[in-house]
Amino acid sequence: MRVHLLVPAVALLAVSSGVPMSGESAGVVTYTCTTTTTGQTQEIRVNVELTVPPTAKVDEQMTIGWRGSYVGGGGLIAPISGLKLYVYAGISKIDRLTSATGVATLPAIAAGEPIALPETVVELKTTPRQPGSGSVHPASFNFGTSPSARAIECEVKDRGTGSDYPLTVEGTAPTDTGTERPDDARTDEPVDEVKTPVGGAETGGGGAAGPDGRVVVLAGLVMLAGAGAGLARRTRSRG
């Protein structure tokens, strides 16, 4: 009789102390899943395995593998048919790199049937833009007919332990050269400045004609005055 009582006592101790039991691993993640149409929530536990490349390169697409399995017999029920699985991984401590995403087509599931997680690896894609060292961890996943039409949303409640994977991005950060005008290509040379004459529309630009221009204008006025005086003399002589 004492032997029979000892077995459940050992099992209870394992659960309360956080020691992984049979079928579990340190990658167990607790999710809170919400059915979007009804607002009903359900808590599930998923054993998540991530396959992270040891290194990645700037401006080259990288792939992170995701495989998940229910822990403890828990599962989700499909509210509609035609569901796909949309999976996300979080990335920390690397500039301009926060997540990777992937999608998996599930076997035909009718509304009201259990949703089985895919047995194959789901490929999550992303492209680093900056070098650095950080870590990858499980993030949310959703079921829906498209990324924006979500039927069930599963958010991480507790990542547990051992679910962070190191990631190093190698390469050189791209430089942002911007767009330069041809005149501005050399900052040690002056840039020609186009000046609009003051009152140009009314005076024809005479105010900014310069010394040479004013001499020409004055000469023209003298010639016009002389021509006018000669015309006046001829007119008087004829009268």
Side-chain angles (χ1 to χ4, degrees), residues 146-169:
S146 72
S148 59
R150 302 173 180 176
I152 300 177
E153 299 176 337
C154 294
E155 301 291 339
V156 175
K157 179 181 179 181
D158 182 9
R159 282 214 314 256
T161 59
S163 57
D164 289 85
Y165 300 76
L167 172 65
T168 299
V169 178

Side-chain angles (χ1 to χ4, degrees), residues 57-144:
K57 293 184 178 181
V58 171
D59 287 336
E60 291 187 10
Q61 189 179 70
M62 59 174 288
T63 301
I64 298 172
W66 185 97
R67 186 197 298 268
S69 58
Y70 295 119
V71 175
L76 298 169
I77 302 299
I80 58 175
S81 59
L83 294 178
K84 295 180 180 180
L85 172 64
Y86 299 91
V87 186
Y88 304 86
I91 303 174
S92 304
K93 300 180 181 179
I94 300 178
D95 291 342
R96 300 176 63 186
L97 186 64
T98 59
S99 64
T101 62
V103 58
T105 301
L106 303 175
I109 304 172
E113 294 182 347
I115 302 175
L117 296 176
E119 297 182 357
T120 57
V121 174
V122 181
E123 293 186 345
L124 315 184
K125 305 287 187 179
T126 190
T127 301
R129 300 302 182 188
Q130 298 284 343
S133 296
S135 60
V136 181
H137 55 268
S140 62
F141 63 85
N142 306 309
F143 295 98

